[in-house]
Amino acid sequence: MSTQSTSQSASLVSGRHRVLKRLLRDKVFVMAASFIAVLFLVAIFAPLLIELIGHGPNEPFRETGLTAGGVPLPPNGEFLLGTDVIGRDLLSRLIVGARVTVFVSMTCAILSVTIGVIIGLIAGYRGGIVDLLLAGFIDMVLGLPLLVTAIALVSVYGASFTVMIGTIVFFTWGPIGRIVRNLVVAAKSAEYVQAARVLGASDTRIMLREILPNIAGQVLIYASLLIPQVIVMEASLSFLGLGVPPPTATWGGIISENQLNYAVAWWSILFPSFALLAATLAFNLLGDSLRDALDPSAANKGRVK
Amino acid sequence: MIGYVLRRLAFGLMTLWFISLAVFILFYVATPGDPALMFAGEYATYEQIDLIRTRLGLDQPLHVQYFTYIGNLLRFDFGTSFVNQEDVLATILRRLPVTASLAFGTVAIWVAIAIPTGVFSARRAGRLPDRLVTATALAGMSFPTFVVGTLLFYVLFFVLTNAGFPVFPSGGYVAFTRDPLEWLRHMLLPWMTLAVVGAGTYTRIARGSLLETLNQDYVRTARAKGLRENKVIYHHALPPSMTPVITMMGLDLGGLLGGTIITERIWGLNGVGSLAVQAVETGDLPTIMGTVIFAAFFVVAANLIVDVIQVLRNPQITL
């Protein structure tokens, strides 16, 4: 038993090593990962950065940030990315927006993946009533339109971080649960699981120590592809005024606040759009690279002839 | 076959019932505070609040409320709007052509772009053109709809009109029956808004599915028989590999018909989606509930239709 598990973990380590090497050779992955690292640093050190800039994100600079006629200023020495419709520093607001984006997307991703993995493991391993309930629940969730439901929830509970995160998690854990469930069903009949069962391992042990490490790679791929979806959901809800309540800056909210100002202040729409696009693209590329590195057979399938 | 369809139908109806139950719980049971107070607004008088309470049946016991609610739903009675006293279902149906124009046009554009591009990409799998297509598709998928809409509005309406080419209107809807050309002119930008995001997804699905089919034995046999490559692709590989595209198309169509909230809002289209937003803004409870259930109905119906079509195409699929 012990020799088996050491040799298994040794091959796991060398496997991880190979995956890491493959990833570091992938230029797209390195670029996407670097961008995401910068995004995280900005999110973490947001208060510090804003201190450095010297313009609070919710502070309207009516004297210095707007022209005499009340028009927002384009990017300049004092306001590096220009000002918004009421003279607030766009850069400061984008930095706060980065913090919100990172916080919401990570919270939602961690919650959905945790719930999805737990329920998926049980549903796949035990089958029976849990499996049926999961299938039914996921069909119900897929039958509900996200934005309309979010509207309904916000109309009852008001807009807040909690309502938004709850709504997003409600809509995203189901598909992960279904994926995990299918992976577990496939893994259940695998030899290593049968071997563990013969050796007298408990169900919990088999689920957590045998099956979970083996499907972790797949789960990681779906989790990384879930993050850009969550970012878009958060931004869309904030754009509609159903997400984070103002004056807290969010990328979707900034676009919505300045939308009618397109004729005089293109920067107030373009920069948040660009930030949003870069973040979702980076996570999508990261997920794609991860899939290629963790599942080389999928990449090779692409090469016909 | 008929048994399968009946089973799916029963399952769809059950899903709808679950959703209607969730809506009931959300608005009648889990509401913090008194729903009548909430929907009466801040400046309502006691008489108005009492009126709303009676009208909603909130003075009845909960199970009576539930049976009234479900009974009304079964008779397709969504109630009347608090705001303009109009029948909710009639209002939704009146706005449906706008949303339907948007939904059907969008899905048509997705497929028109995705299938040729997917075939092009799959035939050159792993080579530079394929990588360019895949990367472009991924970039398209990464755009949130409202960003695409806002940017299209800025470039194709504002910049173009200012430059002296008023090709596109800023928004609004013209009924097809009134002026088909104006209808088209008004729909183009909203379609493009939704097309950018979906075309990427569909291209990737079409490409992936076709590649998988091309690796199957029967395709190898067809090639070995000496069939021309075009014939192999268009006659042998493409039709069966479209299954996931059709599935997605059906599901997305259902979702879009339930209300394309962001696109309708950006382009000033008074469809079902903007009705839902307006209903929330005015606290119009029956309309909010009506739009949620209406949207869910389309998604469930789309699921059902997609499953039945798939079984017709490939009778081996069973539940």
Side-chain angles (χ1 to χ4, degrees):
Chain A
M1 176 72 202
S2 71
T3 51
Q4 186 211 352
S5 73
T6 32
S7 73
Q8 196 190 353
S9 67
S11 79
L12 219 66
V13 169
S14 75
R16 266 184 211 145
H17 213 76
R18 216 172 328 125
V19 167
L20 200 67
K21 257 168 96 181
R22 211 180 285 146
L23 279 175
L24 288 177
R25 252 183 306 166
D26 184 351
K27 281 188 208 105
V28 175
F29 174 82
V30 174
M31 266 161 50
S34 317
F35 178 84
I36 292 167
V38 171
L39 183 66
F40 272 74
L41 287 176
V42 169
I44 293 165
F45 295 109
L48 209 74
L49 287 170
I50 286 166
E51 195 111 325
L52 274 174
I53 298 168
H55 299 144
N58 300 327
E59 214 178 320
F61 294 90
R62 291 190 211 286
E63 304 294 321
T64 51
L66 296 172
T67 65
V71 178
L73 290 182
N76 59 57
E78 169 148 26
F79 299 96
L80 291 177
L81 294 183
T83 58
D84 79 350
V85 60
I86 55 170
R88 293 176 294 195
D89 187 329
L90 201 61
L91 181 59
S92 297
R93 288 184 73 70
L94 284 182
I95 290 171
V96 175
R99 199 178 168 88
V100 172
T101 300
V102 168
F103 171 71
V104 172
S105 59
M106 287 304 128
T107 312
C108 291
I110 291 169
L111 284 175
S112 319
V113 170
T114 312
I115 300 173
V117 164
I118 293 173
I119 309 257
L121 270 175
I122 298 172
Y125 195 78
R126 288 276 157 88
I129 186 86
V130 185
D131 200 16
L132 268 177
L133 283 178
L134 175 75
F137 182 79
I138 292 173
D139 272 316
M140 189 192 87
V141 170
L142 292 178
L144 283 169
L146 166 82
L147 286 176
V148 181
T149 312
I151 284 180
L153 283 170
V154 169
S155 71
V156 173
Y157 296 105
S160 71
F161 265 108
T162 323
V163 170
M164 182 174 66
I165 289 174
T167 312
I168 294 176
V169 171
F170 177 77
F171 276 96
T172 47
W173 79 266
I176 298 253
R178 182 175 278 179
I179 288 161
V180 171
R181 180 243 173 222
N182 291 341
L183 290 170
V184 173
V185 168
K188 216 161 57 169
S189 52
E191 279 168 6
Y192 70 90
V193 174
Q194 286 172 349
R197 205 174 291 141
V198 170
L199 286 169
S202 69
D203 283 354
T204 325
R205 197 198 144 86
I206 293 176
M207 277 194 259
L208 295 180
R209 302 288 291 274
E210 307 289 340
I211 297 180
L212 192 57
N214 272 287
I215 62 170
Q218 294 284 326
V219 173
L220 189 68
I221 294 170
Y222 285 106
S224 65
L225 291 172
L226 176 69
I227 293 171
Q229 289 176 35
V230 173
I231 294 178
V232 170
M233 286 181 191
E234 184 273 323
S236 306
L237 291 175
S238 296
F239 175 79
L240 289 172
L242 304 168
V244 184
T248 306
T250 65
W251 291 346
I254 297 172
I255 297 175
S256 147
E257 288 156 12
N258 294 294
Q259 216 194 357
L260 295 175
N261 244 13
Y262 60 89
V264 289
W266 53 266
W267 54 90
S268 58
I269 297 168
L270 204 65
F271 292 139
S273 301
F274 180 73
L276 202 48
L277 178 65
T280 46
L281 188 59
F283 276 108
N284 270 328
L285 289 170
L286 187 85
D288 250 30
S289 303
L290 269 180
R291 175 167 46 202
D292 289 350
L294 286 168
D295 189 5
S297 64
N300 288 338
K301 259 183 218 151
R303 314 235 145 82
V304 197
K305 287 186 281 188
Chain B
M1 176 68 210
I2 290 169
Y4 173 80
V5 174
L6 286 178
R7 262 205 317 274
R8 282 300 288 126
L9 192 65
F11 194 70
L13 285 175
M14 213 152 88
T15 312
L16 268 183
W17 175 68
F18 267 122
I19 291 171
S20 73
L21 187 65
V23 169
F24 177 80
I25 291 173
L26 178 67
F27 285 101
Y28 285 79
V29 185
T31 314
D34 187 343
L37 263 181
M38 193 178 82
F39 288 102
E42 271 175 70
Y43 306 106
T45 61
Y46 284 112
E47 287 89 62
Q48 283 171 319
I49 294 169
D50 278 343
L51 187 71
I52 289 173
R53 193 168 287 142
T54 326
R55 179 116 61 85
L56 283 175
L58 291 173
D59 45 358
Q60 309 271 326
L62 205 59
H63 67 273
V64 177
Q65 288 181 38
Y66 180 71
F67 283 117
T68 318
Y69 162 85
I70 202 82
N72 286 342
L73 276 188
L74 286 176
R75 282 182 283 116
F76 299 105
D77 179 2
F78 288 22
T80 52
S81 158
F82 282 176
V83 176
N84 54 17
Q85 319 303 324
E86 268 185 69
D87 185 63
V88 171
L89 187 63
T91 312
I92 292 178
L93 290 178
R94 206 181 53 237
R95 282 164 171 254
L96 190 59
V98 182
T99 303
S101 303
L102 193 51
F104 282 101
T106 302
V107 173
I109 293 176
W110 282 343
V111 175
I113 295 177
I115 293 182
T117 322
V119 172
F120 171 87
S121 197
R123 292 180 79 165
R124 293 160 185 76
R127 284 189 274 141
L128 187 67
D130 172 45
R131 291 194 180 182
L132 284 178
V133 167
T134 328
T136 316
L138 197 67
M141 282 164 66
S142 302
F143 267 109
T145 315
F146 69 92
V147 172
V148 180
T150 310
L151 295 180
L152 282 179
F153 181 86
Y154 183 73
V155 177
L156 289 183
F157 164 69
F158 179 67
V159 175
L160 211 61
T161 307
N162 262 15
F165 301 99
V167 184
F168 297 108
S170 67
Y173 178 75
V174 176
F176 182 80
T177 43
R178 222 176 66 198
D179 187 345
L181 266 180
E182 275 299 303
W183 171 80
L184 188 68
R185 202 168 84 90
H186 280 79
M187 291 314 293
L188 275 174
L189 287 183
W191 283 338
M192 277 160 77
T193 305
L194 283 167
V196 170
V197 185
T201 317
Y202 277 77
T203 303
R204 283 169 74 96
I205 295 174
R207 172 189 175 276
S209 173
L210 182 59
L211 272 179
E212 212 149 284
T213 317
L214 285 176
N215 275 330
Q216 304 256 321
D217 286 340
Y218 80 91
V219 174
R220 215 162 292 162
T221 312
R223 282 213 180 98
K225 278 197 307 193
L227 284 184
R228 271 179 297 116
E229 187 63 15
N230 273 339
K231 189 149 181 143
V232 172
I233 290 190
Y234 292 107
H235 284 243
H236 290 257
L238 193 59
S241 69
M242 285 303 103
T243 304
V245 177
I246 294 173
T247 307
M248 274 289 281
M249 210 174 87
L251 298 183
D252 279 339
L253 196 58
L256 290 173
L257 283 172
T260 39
I261 292 179
I262 288 179
T263 314
E264 285 177 24
R265 186 175 154 132
I266 290 179
W267 298 107
L269 299 169
N270 279 323
V272 183
S274 49
L275 179 67
V277 180
Q278 286 157 15
V280 170
E281 281 162 0
T282 52
D284 190 354
L285 174 67
T287 309
I288 301 174
M289 286 172 32
T291 46
V292 174
I293 289 171
F294 187 75
F297 166 78
F298 270 120
V299 177
V300 170
N303 259 305
L304 182 69
I305 293 168
V306 162
D307 281 352
V308 171
I309 290 177
Q310 299 294 24
V311 172
L312 288 177
R313 275 166 51 91
N314 179 6
Q316 278 179 339
I317 305 173
T318 40
L319 197 64

